[in-house]
Amino acid sequence: MIEFAVCLPVFLLIAMGTIETCRMIYLRQSLKVAAYECARLAIVPEVTVADLQDQCDVLLMGRNISNYTLHCTPADPSTLNYGEIFITTVEAPASENALVGSWIYGSSTVSESVSIMMEY
């Protein structure tokens, strides 16, 4: 019983740390995928910012990511000419997407961005 009482908290701490680390890796990868897919969509002619937001919503809501934001540089992809760079950045608060809550991450934000060159 004494060994169980000593080992159980250590085991639970290691298990929760592993799960939380995997959740943050999943969050970063999900944001990267969303940023990439939005960037690829942005270089299609006549795409609007609303189309990009819809694409981001489909990807991240399906992965249960909450309170994310999409930023585009330049703000309107239709103004790009061939060879110009378009940047999409997707951000999400770590604490709102964590399993254990905000006491580990505080107010930190996870952000991923993708740069892509405008095609024909």
Side-chain angles (χ1 to χ4, degrees), residues 4-111:
F4 180 74
V6 170
C7 292
L8 183 64
V10 174
F11 175 73
L12 289 176
L13 183 65
I14 291 170
M16 287 304 292
T18 302
I19 291 169
E20 195 60 36
T21 300
C22 291
R23 177 69 180 163
M24 285 300 114
I25 292 170
Y26 177 77
L27 175 63
R28 288 191 70 121
Q29 188 62 28
S30 296
L31 295 178
K32 187 62 132 180
V33 166
Y36 174 76
E37 291 298 328
C38 290
R40 287 295 301 161
L41 181 63
I43 62 174
V44 174
E46 300 180 17
V47 170
T48 64
V49 176
D51 296 332
L52 298 179
Q53 186 64 51
D54 289 343
Q55 180 73 13
C56 191
D57 291 344
V58 166
L59 290 167
L60 294 179
M61 284 182 184
R63 293 175 179 230
N64 294 322
I65 307 298
S66 61
N67 294 331
Y68 52 86
T69 56
L70 172 68
H71 303 286
C72 301
T73 307
D76 186 12
S78 63
T79 62
L80 291 172
N81 296 319
Y82 173 74
E84 293 182 335
I85 300 294
F86 184 76
I87 302 168
T88 57
T89 303
V90 183
E91 297 177 337
S95 60
E96 294 181 28
N97 292 291
L99 295 176
V100 281
S102 63
W103 60 275
I104 292 177
Y105 300 105
S107 62
S108 62
T109 301
V110 179
S111 176

